[in-house]
Amino acid sequence: MKISTKTRYGMRFMIDLAERYGEGCVPVKDVAERQGISKKYLEQVVAPLSAAGLLSITRGRCGGFQLARAPKDISLADVVSASEDGLELLNCLGCLTVCEREAGCVSREVWGGMQDAVTDYLEGRTLADVVEAISNGASR
């Protein structure tokens, strides 16, 4: 299982904004510099996050991005789901008509358990939790 680069960079972008929550708009170029991501690529990364209602955008000279809700109100699942177009590890876990073998699938229990663990983890942590862990000395 691999998480896409867009999702990884999107998470870094959202955590960066969460660390600066309440300070107003943050220019994308500032986040790009801090995170070591090209500004052009980062602009593509934020599009699905914005479309999901996770970001507020202010245009103009003093414009930039800020979280649309408080960091405590944005789960990691919100971020991943926006970037990955859902949280399903396998197509058959999200839709019951994908595989003709699914009724008797011997491995569905394994993949379903893994899906539940990932979903529970992402839904159980917020951007505020990550920022708190960083401020308490957790590695990035």
Side-chain angles (χ1 to χ4, degrees):
M1 173 176 79
K2 289 187 177 185
I3 300 293
S4 72
T5 299
K6 282 189 178 183
T7 298
R8 290 185 298 113
Y9 288 1
M11 186 67 72
R12 287 168 53 188
F13 182 82
M14 295 295 285
I15 293 167
D16 193 284
L17 292 183
E19 289 178 303
R20 287 153 187 80
Y21 185 72
E23 297 176 10
C25 289
V26 178
V28 72
K29 71 175 183 59
D30 292 355
V31 178
E33 288 173 11
R34 280 191 297 273
Q35 297 300 322
I37 304 169
S38 91
K39 179 180 177 271
K40 186 173 183 172
Y41 190 73
L42 197 52
E43 287 169 344
Q44 295 173 26
V45 167
V46 301
L49 298 169
S50 179
L54 300 176
L55 297 173
S56 294
I57 304 169
T58 302
R59 306 227 184 262
R61 193 171 78 78
C62 295
F65 294 90
Q66 56 187 337
L67 298 178
R69 302 188 302 263
K72 69 179 182 60
D73 296 326
I74 300 176
S75 73
L76 302 185
D78 293 332
V79 178
V80 173
S81 184
S83 298
E84 288 291 334
D85 210 17
L87 293 175
E88 289 79 25
L89 299 176
L90 299 168
N91 289 339
C92 65
L93 296 175
C95 179
L96 297 177
T97 59
V98 173
C99 177
E100 73 261 1
R101 296 186 47 90
E102 104 183 76
C105 180
V106 296
S107 63
R108 186 172 171 87
E109 174 74 22
V110 173
W111 305 128
M114 186 174 169
Q115 174 71 54
D116 291 345
V118 169
T119 300
D120 289 348
Y121 176 80
L122 293 172
E123 288 178 350
R125 293 199 67 196
T126 66
L127 291 174
D129 296 330
V130 175
V131 169
E132 182 179 341
I134 291 168
S135 67
N136 290 333
S139 64
R140 287 185 180 237

